[in-house]
Amino acid sequence: MDYNISYQMRKWGQVMKNPWKKEWEYLQKKEESFLRRRNKEGFSFFNDKLEQVVPPKLQHTLEMAFGKAFRLIFEKGNPVIEKSFSKEKRKSDYDIRSYAASVKKNRASLRAFRRSSSAATAKNVAVSGVEGVGFGILGIGIPDIPVFVGMILKSVYEIALTFGFPYESREERYFILCLIRASLERSKRLQNLDGQINTLMTKHFTVTEEALNQQIDATAAALSRELLYLKFIQGIPIVGVVGGLSDVHYLHVITDYAKLKYQRRFLYQRKQNANTEQQ
């Protein structure tokens, strides 16, 4: 066999066995699956009927409520959220997984990151369901928005720490808002936002206070559009259980997407670091 061909085949075999490459390919398939699934989800006949009775001003009210909740939590709420999980333990667990991955260099050590992120969000989804049903039974719709936003941010914060990314900076808040907003979109808008997020994570960027506020408003608008009818239903005692359960569904959607994007960012950063070390 020609030496060059033999060499290329060996190199190809090494690449195919590379656990980082396999994990990257797995991630891409999961991302494609998420996009397809979101594109298939549409508004139900139930929502079409509700459109006739929902007050026209409710969407604006929801937007204002979501925007206010994000600003309040970013300004004063993080210490409260951090009391519900051990930030330092998340960081130390990441360091341990990172060291194991650098030593073992196998697929199992890489899977540990995404498995840990899934475990971190499972409890939050369950708690969100209990809270949503409770508010629904009592007929509490809009007033539960700060609680729901707090649970969203807590879940994404834990995912970020699982993959080694702190969440305190203005830039990271902007990135998190982009994730939440994109996860709620569909079709071309989702594809465009997804592409922007993939580009954003490959470069250093700075965010002004004005840009952050604009992203808060855009994310609040996406949430209000998606949850408009369900929050209306949640405001009706007993019947509102249906609306309350929506918190579980959308927290699941948001965290599924956040896990994919933070994993992509983690793998991309690892690749860049490896390339730098080889130079």
Side-chain angles (χ1 to χ4, degrees), residues 254-271:
I254 292 167
T255 54
D256 276 357
Y257 187 70
K259 283 183 285 188
L260 293 172
K261 293 294 119 176
Y262 270 109
Q263 185 185 10
R264 169 181 277 268
R265 191 172 165 191
F266 165 76
L267 293 173
Y268 176 81
Q269 198 169 89
R270 283 283 178 137
K271 180 183 177 181

Side-chain angles (χ1 to χ4, degrees), residues 133-141 232-242:
V133 170
F135 283 124
I137 291 173
L138 297 174
I140 299 174
F232 173 75
I233 284 291
Q234 191 176 344
I236 304 173
I238 306 301
V239 179
V241 170
V242 177

Side-chain angles (χ1 to χ4, degrees), residues 6-244:
S6 177
Y7 174 78
Q8 290 299 324
M9 289 183 67
R10 287 199 304 272
K11 290 290 289 182
W12 180 79
Q14 291 169 4
V15 169
M16 291 304 292
K17 293 178 182 178
N18 187 321
W20 293 95
K21 181 175 176 61
K22 287 184 177 180
E23 196 67 5
W24 181 263
E25 291 173 347
Y26 171 86
L27 168 68
Q28 289 181 310
K29 289 179 181 178
K30 295 293 286 185
E31 286 181 326
E32 290 168 3
S33 175
F34 179 91
L35 296 179
R36 284 197 304 270
R37 190 167 66 250
R38 280 300 291 164
N39 287 335
K40 287 180 181 178
E41 291 180 8
F43 292 103
S44 66
F45 171 79
F46 185 57
N47 285 340
D48 291 337
K49 290 297 182 182
L50 282 174
E51 188 176 8
Q52 302 170 20
V53 296
V54 172
K57 294 182 179 180
L58 181 59
Q59 183 165 343
H60 177 69
T61 302
L62 279 177
E63 284 185 30
M64 296 295 290
F66 277 117
K68 185 176 180 180
F70 277 117
R71 290 182 174 91
L72 180 63
I73 293 171
F74 284 155
E75 183 180 349
K76 299 178 180 179
N78 277 358
V80 177
I81 291 176
E82 288 168 357
K83 288 181 180 178
S84 63
F85 69 94
S86 176
K87 181 178 175 180
E88 294 308 314
K89 186 176 187 305
R90 293 284 178 201
K91 288 182 177 179
S92 62
D93 286 348
Y94 166 78
D95 290 338
I96 292 170
R97 286 192 300 273
S98 183
Y99 177 75
S102 65
V103 172
K104 294 181 179 180
K105 301 182 186 302
N106 59 18
R107 185 88 184 276
S109 63
L110 293 179
R111 283 197 295 262
F113 290 93
R114 54 183 164 91
R115 285 177 175 172
S116 180
S117 70
S118 294
T121 58
K123 181 179 178 181
N124 294 333
V125 170
V127 171
S128 181
V130 173
E131 290 175 342
V133 170
F135 283 124
I137 291 173
L138 297 174
I140 299 174
I142 291 178
D144 95 310
I145 285 176
V147 177
F148 182 49
V149 170
M151 187 59 75
I152 291 173
L153 291 177
K154 175 182 183 293
S155 300
V156 179
Y157 289 169
E158 292 186 79
I159 293 168
L161 291 175
T162 298
F163 288 103
F165 297 99
Y167 53 78
E168 297 87 353
S169 71
R170 184 187 295 161
E171 286 71 25
E172 200 64 29
R173 290 174 177 178
Y174 182 89
F175 184 76
I176 288 170
L177 289 166
C178 288
L179 296 182
I180 297 170
R181 178 188 173 193
S183 70
L184 299 169
E185 298 292 359
R186 295 177 179 81
S187 193
K188 289 184 178 180
R189 185 178 293 180
L190 170 56
Q191 292 176 346
N192 290 338
L193 289 174
D194 184 70
Q196 291 172 23
I197 289 170
N198 289 346
T199 300
L200 196 63
M201 68 177 68
T202 64
K203 59 184 181 181
H204 176 75
F205 63 95
T206 57
V207 174
T208 64
E209 193 66 29
E210 180 183 5
L212 180 64
N213 278 311
Q214 289 174 350
Q215 194 59 240
I216 287 175
D217 291 338
T219 304
L223 279 162
S224 66
R225 268 197 319 272
E226 195 73 10
L227 293 167
L228 175 62
Y229 304 117
L230 292 167
K231 286 300 172 189
F232 173 75
I233 284 291
Q234 191 176 344
I236 304 173
I238 306 301
V239 179
V241 170
V242 177

